[in-house]
Amino acid sequence: VNPKDNNTFASASLDRTVKVWQLGSAQPNFTLEGHEKGVNCVDYYMGGDKPYLISGADDRMVKIWDYQNKTCVQTLEGHAQNIASVSFHPELPIILTGSEDGTVKIWHANTYRLETTLNYGLERVWSIGVLRGSNNVALGYDEGAILIKLGREEPAMSMDAGGKIIWAKHSELQQASLKALEKEEIQDGERLPLAVKDMGSCEVYPQTVQHNPNGRFVVVCGDGEYIIYTAMALRNKSFGSAQEFVWAADSSEYAVRESSSSIKLFKNFKEKKSFKPEFGAENIFGGALLGVKSVSGLAFYDWETQELVRRIEIQPRVVYWSETGELCCIATEDSYFILKYQSEAVAAAAENPEKVTEDGIEDAFDVLGEVSETVKTGLWVGDCFIYTNSVNRLNYYVGGEIVTVSHLDRTMYLLGYIPQDNRLYLGDKELNVVSFQLLLSVLEYQTAVMRRDFDTADRVLPTVPKEQRTRVAHFLEKQGFKKQALAVSSDAEHKFDLAIQLGDLDCAYTLAKESASEQKWKQLAELATSQAKFELAQQCLHEAQDHGGLLLLATAAGNADMVAKLGLQADQAGKHNVSFLSYFLLGDLERCLEILLTSNRIPEAAFFARTYLPSEISRVVEMWRVQLGKVNEKAGQSLADPKDYANLFPDYEASLQAQQMLAKERTKVIPAEDWKEIMANYERKPLEELNALADEEEMIDEVLDDKDHPIAGAIGLREELTGGNFESDDETEEVAHRSGGEGRASMDCSVEADNDNDVDKDYNSEEDLDKLLDEELDDLDIGEPSKLDTVGGITTEDLEAELEMDLDNLKLDDIDTTDVNLDDEELLED
């Protein structure tokens, strides 16, 4: 069907003709004759400038027809078998022909030159499919189908520094300007409503369009040629043959690659120099230095002298230079490198040839960073490298930090940045233009920081909007300037993180108080603890309701009052674990049991009572029976109560006594410094201690008088007289020591104070002590000495013998008798 007139169509026939028909008519409008054998295929040209028709036949010929003049314009020869399919590409200036020889040939639609031949080894070609708006081509073979992509996806379009955009639509050049747009109404990512102006047709099919640095000229490359036009009126300024064309940093200078071995340099549109790179030239790159890609890597040459500056072993896809020529980005297929050009080192090496090696000047470049990311298109703004990547993100790199400006919904290509608009402009292959805000003040500030020009940075900072301050602060943090980042950031979360990193307790406390965040209080408590600010740590943990942290702090400090308060607070807050542990550490076992009961942990409460509070077992078991009976009545009744089944609870009565014994101990406050001298609880055996205590009491009860009344006073007297240093077996000595105080308290006839004073006096002889002992025993009125035979076999004579033995061990020379008058008459009378 004719794309310009849907009422007409063409047909191919084995009668060697092509006929053009009108819908509704049984007779053809006209017949095109010229093929020598049957015609297999036919297709219309989709462009608006040529009334062409293409046909393929069994004579292995492809013919181009002008259906208005009804003449053959061109015949394409080259296939070795019948032609099965032909097609004009709707987007690219190419003709595709497929043959039974298994090849697809691509011809230039304007020059009819054979560009390339494709052979995928799938036997005969039968069909070719194209799609308007796409460079994809589908090929059908005997043994399968294949989809290929032709040409460049990147549109041929360019923008100058003032916002004028030129692009190529097929062979037509068009212009659009951003100046007429209302910048305040522009939304990020929205298609811009541009007024498009036709500039005219180009003599070559444009594959690339590129402004020179000052924007006065624009070069169009394609079909192995280049044409330089004036940007305003599209007047031809210069032209020539070129596989590639690049501008230098100087707007009047450029270079072309005519072949893989020849490069020509021009200045002011006149050829200045032609040279052949040592390792050939696969691609060339413009900028501050002329870059040449070859099999050996990338070589940079000086534009003026063509001298080698540096050869780098890398296979670049594209090279981007900053406006100042100080920074360079080399992008490969899967990563990019940021380099700094050391012009001073290059100038110094020019005066000292010894520093120049076969690979150029080693110090010419410093590597600033490497990023494993594919660059689609890129440009420099100051020291910031802005680029689009393979996953359609718009990013920029500055100082080792990558900032994402936007996630794109399709593949976009950078056009340029307009500082006055604070906007970045991009285009797509459909020639739509969109923009994104990127504040110049932010870029200038980051550039100043990278150059360590803090005076400029401080001057630019007030112009940075508040909503962008946090982004700037993150950049400063990445560069190691955390204090400055804390001062700049407007995000409370970020400021708090910085304050914690810097150890700024005051700032962090203020921010935590404002946010009332539990997590922030915990972080601040940790920081305060690390700085030994325990009061602040306690306050932070309290604000965070971190009872576990408070318990750790209180126990580490040995603060019993704090543990008691924490137990109450945790109980009120329903934090039963912390509350239980707090009371358990304080020895308040009754309260621990109540916590278990109130939290409905009755089985645990039963085992707890069995271990620590056996007197409570019956009460807890009854509650457990009720609870378990709701699930299984038989299981509830199977629980045994010690009051009913004493035989199932061995040593139950003893455990009750042990509970009373240990309850008295818990009332005593033991200093922490005594912990080394106290036996650990897990080493203690209360029942054995109870049995030992009972044995001691029996031994005390064996001291009786003639009326079978306990005589604790005898043992207490012996201890008073000897200071506990009389010799006896260990058991007797321990009993006497433990019962001494109670014996003294229960004596019916207590020793008078004056007698106590006499005992404390110093004596010079054993006779004096013997006399005193006899008098004290007489005062006790314990009857005849024989009565004491029942006191464990200890008689008065035994007691005197032990005292005499102790006196023998006394060193009388060491006794101070300076205050004793041995001539005292009262002493002599005694």
Side-chain angles (χ1 to χ4, degrees), residues 235-251:
R235 288 196 297 268
N236 191 325
K237 189 69 178 176
S238 181
F239 63 91
S241 62
Q243 299 296 320
E244 281 185 285
F245 180 104
V246 294
W247 293 104
D250 182 353
S251 297

Side-chain angles (χ1 to χ4, degrees), residues 498-539:
L498 289 170
I500 292 294
Q501 293 178 43
L502 293 169
D504 190 342
L505 289 173
D506 295 335
C507 180
Y509 178 80
T510 302
L511 293 168
K513 201 169 183 180
E514 291 174 356
S515 67
S517 166
E518 177 182 330
Q519 184 60 31
K520 284 188 173 62
W521 284 119
K522 287 183 178 180
Q523 286 181 264
L524 182 56
E526 186 176 348
L527 178 62
T529 303
S530 66
Q531 296 187 10
K533 305 292 185 182
F534 298 118
E535 291 185 3
L536 177 59
Q538 181 178 344
Q539 181 183 353

